[in-house]
Amino acid sequence: MAVAVAAVRAGWRYARPVGWKLGCCPGQSRAGLSGAAGRWPGAAPKGAPRLLGVAALALGGALGIGHTVRGRLKSQEQLAKQAPPELAEGRLQLTLYQYKTCPFCSKVRAFLDFHALPYEVVEVNPVRKQEIKFSSYRKVPILLAQEGELLQQLNDSSVIISALKTYLMSGKNLEEIVSFYPPIKTVNDQGKEVTEFGNKYWLMLNEKESRRLYNGKEARTEEMKWRQWADDWLVHLISPNVYRTPAEALASFDYIVHEGKFGVVEGAVAKYVGAAAMFIISKRLKSRHHLQDDVREDLYQAVNKWVAAVGKDRPFMGGKEPNLADLAVYGVLRVMEGLEAFEDMMCHTRIGPWYLRVEKAIAEAQGNY
């Protein structure tokens, strides 16, 4: 399956996988994954064999989950030689460092695209990470935002989204806004030191600005609640479902090898070692997050819970248009497009109409519908 994707303005335009439509249950799709996945498809997992790391390096960025991305992917040298695009206000220049198949990165792209914010993309190699060697923060997404002479680095998908939304809604400068989301060092359940960010689901708006955006305090609280749910629960259902069975894992890597035109050795490494490793790792993730024996049931329950929260009386949680929670949930789910897990979800849950409405709203925001 060839998936044509054109870069429009500075965002993405996606083509629907051939043969898919709302309400049908086609056979298993062979849309691909980019590289090896740890917490999400496309990121090199901890504990994976070094050989798998080589496969990820070979694959890194060549394919996405259901999306072959072409167009505005630039190297750092290319970015240095040209002025990146500016926002409509003429103030910010944005560069997103990402893995294409990371749901957190997909969330940021959904936000940027819906708000029609131009941005350049730098695809990060998931093994070497040379593209972000300038940063002590070693995760993606990272957003560089230049405002006049000031170059500001924003880390964490929810911080990026909250800070930019605050910027668009208020008269504050970005440096001041970022200071409201301080990094906090904590120790996770595995005893590892991690960086969290304070206030990351809050928009730093005064009362007048809040009234322009929200129809009451309940709407703001609801949006924050479901943004956090997307990060804390929904995102952890992706990898276990994508690599649920050996056949699903193998089919995904088979597509990568076929489309990538690898040599015999490279193809064998990517297809068999990668698929086997990711099947095993998906079982560890299933245990860590206490998922059911059939992880599809967790996915179905989660998206139906979301649809119930949106309700029947409004097209989006945001009302007439998507809010930050709509865009977050859509961004997370989008990385499964073209895979069997996505098709099963669309067939066996009530998510389809809402999903297509968000997709249409993003396309319309970019003038591409």
Side-chain angles (χ1 to χ4, degrees):
M1 178 186 68
V3 182
V5 178
V8 182
R9 299 180 71 175
W12 309 106
R13 183 177 183 177
Y14 297 99
R16 175 68 59 210
V18 175
W20 183 91
K21 64 180 180 179
L22 185 61
C24 74
C25 291
Q28 177 175 340
S29 171
R30 288 193 166 189
L33 305 174
S34 177
R39 287 169 298 170
W40 54 78
K46 294 181 180 180
R50 182 63 184 172
L51 195 57
L52 181 57
V54 175
L57 177 60
L59 294 168
L63 297 172
I65 296 185
H67 307 307
T68 304
V69 180
R70 301 185 179 93
R72 302 185 71 88
L73 296 178
K74 306 289 185 179
S75 69
Q76 286 179 293
E77 291 183 0
Q78 288 174 311
L79 288 170
K81 292 179 181 178
Q82 67 180 48
E86 298 183 359
L87 295 182
E89 291 84 354
R91 296 173 61 188
L92 283 188
Q93 301 173 348
L94 304 175
T95 304
L96 177 65
Y97 293 79
Q98 67 156 18
Y99 304 142
K100 286 191 294 289
T101 57
C102 163
F104 298 106
C105 299
S106 180
K107 278 171 47 187
V108 174
R109 293 198 308 272
F111 170 85
L112 295 172
D113 293 343
F114 177 70
H115 291 85
L117 302 180
Y119 59 101
E120 298 285 353
V121 170
V122 175
E123 192 67 20
V124 176
N125 183 289
V127 178
R128 297 182 180 179
K129 298 185 178 181
Q130 288 295 312
E131 296 82 0
I132 56 172
K133 63 182 179 181
F134 62 85
S135 174
S136 59
Y137 182 81
R138 303 299 291 168
K139 297 180 180 180
V140 293
I142 293 173
L143 186 76
L144 294 187
Q146 185 157 357
E147 185 179 26
E149 298 299 318
L150 178 66
L151 182 63
Q152 191 75 40
Q153 178 174 327
L154 288 76
N155 306 321
D156 185 273
S157 62
S158 293
V159 171
I160 292 170
I161 291 168
S162 293
L164 286 182
K165 187 67 175 183
T166 299
Y167 178 86
L168 294 173
M169 296 296 299
S170 73
K172 301 179 181 71
N173 64 63
L174 194 59
E175 183 178 24
E176 177 186 6
I177 293 170
V178 172
S179 70
F180 298 141
Y181 305 99
I184 303 169
K185 297 289 186 181
T186 63
V187 178
N188 64 16
D189 295 339
Q190 288 76 45
K192 179 184 177 182
E193 185 180 82
V194 295
T195 301
E196 296 291 346
F197 293 87
N199 311 316
K200 65 182 181 179
Y201 300 108
W202 280 90
L203 303 187
M204 302 305 170
L205 305 175
N206 61 33
E207 187 174 346
K208 181 179 179 181
E209 293 160 350
S210 292
R211 284 199 303 266
R212 285 193 358 243
L213 184 60
Y214 298 110
N215 184 23
K217 293 182 179 180
E218 295 80 5
R220 181 174 190 167
T221 301
E222 181 183 52
E223 179 185 75
M224 293 171 61
K225 169 188 172 181
W226 288 98
R227 288 180 66 195
Q228 184 170 358
W229 174 83
D231 286 353
D232 291 349
W233 178 243
L234 184 62
V235 75
H236 296 301
L237 302 179
I238 302 301
S239 287
N241 273 279
V242 167
Y243 301 107
R244 181 183 59 154
T245 66
E248 287 179 84
L250 190 61
S252 298
F253 277 87
D254 180 62
Y255 178 80
I256 294 172
V257 171
H258 179 267
E259 291 296 311
K261 299 180 181 178
F262 295 102
V264 175
V265 175
E266 291 176 329
V269 169
K271 180 177 178 179
Y272 295 105
V273 178
M278 292 320 307
F279 172 71
I280 294 171
I281 290 172
S282 72
K283 301 308 175 186
R284 296 177 186 172
L285 295 173
K286 172 183 170 182
S287 176
R288 179 186 302 172
H289 298 296
H290 309 290
L291 304 183
Q292 299 180 53
D293 288 340
D294 185 356
V295 293
R296 282 288 198 277
E297 294 302 319
D298 293 287
L299 178 62
Y300 297 162
Q301 290 174 15
V303 298
N304 280 333
K305 182 178 180 180
W306 164 255
V307 172
V310 174
K312 299 179 180 179
D313 298 329
R314 52 183 180 175
F316 309 103
M317 181 166 283
K320 294 181 179 180
E321 65 179 30
N323 66 7
L324 300 185
D326 287 291
L327 295 172
V329 173
Y330 172 82
V332 170
L333 296 178
R334 179 173 61 178
V335 299
M336 296 191 298
E337 271 201 28
L339 297 178
E340 184 178 349
F342 182 84
E343 295 174 350
D344 286 348
M345 178 187 71
M346 297 298 267
C347 288
H348 300 294
T349 73
R350 303 187 301 274
I351 196 72
W354 169 86
Y355 187 92
L356 295 180
R357 286 195 296 268
V358 178
E359 182 178 72
K360 180 180 178 181
I362 292 175
E364 288 177 339
Q366 297 181 288
N368 299 327
Y369 194 82

